[in-house]
Amino acid sequence: MSRDVLVVMQTSGAGWHRMSFEALAAGQKLAAEVGGTCSAAVVGEAGAIAPLAKELAGKKLATVWAVGDALLAQYTADGWVMALQQLVAEAKPGFVVFPHTYEVRDYAPALATRMGEVLIGDVTGFSVPEGGRPVFVRQWMQGKLNAEYQHAGGGVCFVSVQAGSFRADAVEDGAGEVKAFAPKMDAGGIRTKPGEAFREAAQTVDLSAAPVIVSVGRGIGEQENLEVVKELAEALGAELAASRPICDAGWLPMERQVGSSGQTVAPKLYLAVGISGAIQHLVGMKGAKTVIAINKDVDAPIFEVADIGVVGDLFEVVPALTKAIRAQKAG
Amino acid sequence: MKIVVAVKQVPERDAVVRVAADGRGVDASDVSWTMNEPDAYALEEALQLKERAGSGEVVVLCAGPERVQSTLREALAKGADRAVHVVTPEEGEGSLGERDSLDVARLLAEAVRAESADLVLTGLQSDDLGAGQTGVVMAELLGVPHATLVLQVELLGSGSGAGGNSGIRVKRELEDGWMQHVEMPLPALLTVQSGGNRLRYATLMGIKKARQKEMREVEAAAAGKRVDEVVKVSPPTRVKRTEMLTGTAESIAAVLIERLRFEVKVL
Ligand SMILES: Cc1cc2nc3c(=O)[nH]c(=O)nc-3n(C[C@H](O)[C@H](O)[C@H](O)COP(=O)(O)OP(=O)(O)OC[C@H]3O[C@@H](n4cnc5c(N)ncnc54)[C@H](O)[C@@H]3O)c2cc1C
Ligand SMILES: Nc1ncnc2c1ncn2[C@@H]1O[C@H](COP(=O)(O)O)[C@@H](O)[C@H]1O
């Protein structure tokens, strides 16, 4: 079994998806620990990816694969699976590492299936036991448990890494040789027709600039109860934000959603009320200077990123806090 | 238009989860169960598609032990026409815990094949395992095109099912609030993201009718060899030092006021 690692980078517009270099850092670390080489691949239309491949050539990599074809100008799951299956056959890695992006979610499981494998997805870390196979950690129960996975059998091990789990600035510089790879592409095998990306309505709320945010999650229980947090936000002079389920239910507009599919915020204070702290929420608010979390469950993952954690019933704590803030402001 | 919706039964969100005695799974003894949330949205989309088309059939599908029939019944009460239950043992050999995503997807794909559906819907991710891949793997096994993170589905052409249909156009979610339309022919598989619709509740009438609806049990094929193995499950260790406050609401509020004034400096 090969010990070499292949990292599949993701582009975004004319540049990189921000998580690509986190995956590259993970790939270099994995290669070092299993005793193999690390290579990277960039997929797209040949002319468009040439400057990106050149940039990768400045990293510590065995090979930089520039996987180019006109049919790869726009992302499709079929196109990516077709091209990458051939690349894996050519490069023969033991491990393929991806960033766990929405795009990777869309095609990596199909690529793994085509090769009789299973993607070990959304990995937060790994360790390599002496002389053994790597142990990959992923979350169960929305972060309440950690599960350790090992790949069995002699085939390729496919892994995607969670946002924020590896540091992009840990990528080692060096020199890599760029190799152009032209997969045999079949236009008939691309069954979906993708449209251009668009944004729904113009956003009227810009949470990214708000210095203080009070954010509410499903712990609030009912729409009528939102009043309790609205009063807190008002007393604090804060913007109101929410986790996805609150916006899904239509209790607050979509534009107040924080997380991977909503807004990314970096306030001085983020006060999370009745939010469990799923990774898709955390990626949107990890940049906050101070996080205060109010949750009745002492094991809620939100406490992992909180500076101050209040274990209690929000229906008791929030009104008491609002009252105290008002009293403080009244002097 | 025949639509199969794969719904998974998962622990309630507020459930206290403990590691199983063997250290490789979840202790399910005290858990109460519910329908995986994105799957409820997938079911809703299927029911609305059928209503819009004016005809068709919605079949709900679940693999798991006896207990999953309560979730299938719930789907029937909301309006699904019939249910297929792929029966696996509660624990031990052949149970869901002993199968990897590829194996579970095989069980589900096998059942879908027997139905020759025009459209298969799954949730985008399960709340318990969070693998986020069973649907995409099923699409690959079934040899049909797919789209993930789907919020809305629109039928193109006459919308009358396999022959009369030119395909579908879906709205899918990209990162950071971006969206995209994708078109594809039928049959196809879509993994549904939450929030595309408002969920309906089961009515009393619906619950009553559900008792008469067909619940077909099929025996699960023997488990294949796992490609990945779960070697250990444990509660996460805290990395960051969080100052934890407990006590009466008033005493907590007093401490928070101090912090907000002198450390965070927002008061
Ligand atoms: C691809 C994808 C994208 C996603 N994008 C986003 C996104 O952009 N933003 C987002 O937020 N989520 C997103 N999600 C969903 C995410 O995975 C979680 O499901 C969601 O964040 C959970 O929201 P929550 O914390 O409000 O609810 P829950 O997880 O249900 O948590 C509720 C919390 O409230 C606590 N609670 C209950 N009652 C009380 C009380 N009386 N007092 C105090 N605490 C109480 C509970 O202990 C619990 O911790 C996405 C998921 C996927 C798969
Ligand atoms: N045992 C199961 N029975 C029915 N559907 C399932 C099962 N496991 C997974 N699914 C479907 O696959 C989706 C994704 O699950 P997962 O890959 O575990 O995140 C779920 O939302 C369900 O629609």
Side-chain angles (χ1 to χ4, degrees):
Chain A
M1 196 188 79
S2 164
R3 292 168 188 281
D4 296 337
V5 177
L6 174 68
V7 180
V8 181
M9 306 285 283
Q10 183 178 324
T11 60
S12 171
W16 297 109
H17 187 285
R18 60 181 182 277
M19 279 166 63
S20 285
F21 285 90
E22 297 178 12
L24 191 57
Q28 286 183 334
K29 180 171 182 279
L30 180 61
E33 292 185 21
V34 299
T37 65
C38 185
S39 296
V42 51
V43 184
E45 190 275 318
I49 58 172
L52 298 173
K54 206 168 145 203
E55 185 186 338
L56 283 182
K59 307 295 168 197
K60 189 181 166 197
L61 292 167
T63 305
V64 176
W65 296 98
V67 185
D69 191 277
L71 288 175
L72 299 170
Q74 191 179 10
Y75 168 78
T76 58
D78 286 331
W80 258 237
V81 170
M82 205 183 283
L84 287 171
Q85 186 184 8
Q86 296 172 51
L87 178 70
V88 169
E90 169 78 20
K92 299 189 181 62
F95 302 89
V96 179
V97 178
F98 309 88
H100 192 70
T101 59
Y102 287 17
E103 186 174 300
V104 165
R105 283 169 171 276
D106 194 59
Y107 75 86
L111 174 64
T113 304
R114 202 162 287 187
M115 306 186 71
E117 297 292 336
V118 177
L119 173 73
I120 303 180
D122 215 5
V123 161
T124 57
F126 61 81
S127 59
V128 182
E130 192 67 41
R133 291 167 186 267
V135 176
F136 298 98
V137 182
R138 48 186 311 280
Q139 298 178 321
W140 276 9
M141 312 296 302
Q142 306 245 326
K144 287 189 201 159
L145 292 175
N146 276 345
E148 298 177 13
Y149 282 70
Q150 264 178 322
H151 180 248
V156 186
C157 173
F158 292 90
V159 181
S160 66
V161 298
Q162 187 168 91
S165 295
F166 295 86
R167 296 185 57 114
D169 58 12
V171 169
E172 290 184 67
D173 287 339
E177 184 201 352
V178 178
K179 279 190 196 164
F181 181 74
K184 283 195 190 64
M185 299 297 291
D186 157 30
I190 297 175
R191 298 164 291 181
T192 57
K193 227 167 71 206
E196 293 300 324
F198 65 93
R199 269 203 157 127
E200 219 100 59
Q203 283 182 348
T204 55
V205 200
D206 181 15
L207 297 176
S208 66
V212 184
I213 292 177
V214 170
S215 193
V216 56
R218 198 187 334 238
I220 199 69
E222 309 272 343
Q223 183 168 18
E224 299 83 76
N225 300 343
L226 280 179
E227 229 28 66
V228 187
V229 279
K230 279 186 185 158
E231 281 178 27
L232 173 60
E234 215 170 287
L236 259 180
E239 280 285 355
L240 191 63
S243 67
R244 180 165 193 128
I246 302 298
C247 303
D248 280 351
W251 297 354
L252 284 177
M254 251 285 275
E255 56 190 7
R256 294 204 177 263
Q257 179 177 312
V258 168
S260 63
S261 42
Q263 297 212 38
T264 302
V265 299
K268 247 171 105 170
L269 172 66
Y270 190 86
L271 213 162
V273 181
I275 291 178
S276 62
I279 178 64
Q280 294 86 7
H281 187 78
L282 299 186
V283 294
M285 46 67 74
K286 274 198 304 201
K289 198 142 172 282
T290 303
V291 176
I292 300 180
I294 302 173
N295 198 303
K296 66 174 184 189
D297 175 9
V298 66
D299 293 323
I302 188 77
F303 288 133
E304 304 265 318
V305 300
D307 299 277
I308 304 175
V310 177
V311 186
D313 185 342
L314 73 92
F315 297 108
E316 290 170 16
V317 178
V318 172
L321 182 57
T322 307
K323 198 170 145 206
I325 291 168
R326 283 183 182 146
Q328 174 66 36
K329 282 198 166 169
Chain B
M1 184 83 183
K2 187 169 178 182
I3 309 173
V4 174
V5 188
V7 293
K8 185 178 184 184
Q9 191 182 55
V10 296
E12 290 270 9
R13 287 187 160 254
D14 277 2
V16 181
V17 288
R18 274 184 247 97
V19 177
D22 69 357
R24 288 174 55 235
V26 177
D27 177 0
S29 50
D30 287 339
V31 169
S32 46
W33 302 88
T34 186
M35 188 186 299
N36 187 47
E37 186 168 48
D39 307 6
Y41 283 93
L43 173 62
E44 183 61 44
E45 186 64 40
L47 295 172
Q48 292 196 15
L49 269 173
K50 178 186 152 182
E51 284 158 10
R52 278 205 302 272
S55 66
E57 191 182 27
V58 175
V59 181
V60 283
L61 165 67
C62 184
E66 279 311 309
R67 61 169 157 80
V68 306
Q69 291 201 359
S70 64
T71 292
L72 287 171
R73 280 279 170 230
E74 184 191 333
L76 294 174
K78 284 185 167 185
D81 298 295
R82 55 191 176 83
V84 178
H85 174 199
V86 180
V87 188
T88 61
E90 177 72 49
E91 48 193 293
E93 203 180 309
S95 65
L96 286 183
E98 298 288 310
R99 299 173 190 261
D100 58 24
S101 299
L102 178 59
D103 205 305
V104 173
R106 269 196 195 115
L107 290 181
L108 299 172
E110 209 46 59
V112 167
R113 223 175 257 128
E115 294 286 345
S116 20
D118 301 302
L119 188 62
V120 183
L121 303 184
T122 73
L124 85 157
Q125 181 163 318
S126 61
D127 275 351
D128 52 356
L129 295 184
Q133 57 175 314
T134 306
V136 178
V137 175
M138 280 170 75
E140 179 64 27
L141 294 173
L142 291 166
V144 301
H146 74 270
T148 52
L149 291 136
V150 170
L151 288 166
Q152 266 143 32
V153 188
E154 203 186 314
L155 294 174
L156 303 174
S158 74
S160 59
N165 235 299
S166 58
I168 50 172
R169 187 168 105 115
V170 305
K171 183 169 99 180
R172 63 183 295 259
E173 188 175 286
L174 304 175
E175 280 150 14
D176 302 324
W178 290 88
M179 306 279 166
Q180 179 191 38
H181 286 115
V182 179
E183 288 181 19
M184 70 195 79
L186 293 175
L189 184 145
L190 307 172
T191 83
V192 174
Q193 167 66 300
S194 61
N197 289 303
R198 298 283 167 265
L199 298 178
R200 72 187 67 190
Y201 294 99
T203 60
L204 264 160
M205 187 55 146
I207 295 167
K208 223 167 125 190
K209 272 194 188 157
R211 294 196 201 113
Q212 263 78 58
K213 290 179 178 170
E214 180 187 308
M215 169 94 66
R216 191 162 55 85
E217 295 184 19
V218 289
E219 206 189 317
K225 193 178 156 8
R226 280 193 77 123
V227 178
D228 60 30
E229 279 167 23
V230 179
V231 289
K232 188 180 162 197
V233 177
S234 56
T237 44
R238 285 243 161 85
V239 278
K240 181 164 171 179
R241 271 227 225 135
T242 305
E243 180 188 1
M244 298 296 267
L245 305 180
T246 50
T248 65
E250 286 69 29
S251 68
I252 289 171
V255 178
L256 287 177
I257 292 286
E258 289 295 296
R259 299 285 187 279
L260 293 179
R261 286 185 68 195
F262 302 111
E263 287 171 23
V264 193
K265 301 200 172 80
V266 292
L267 270 187

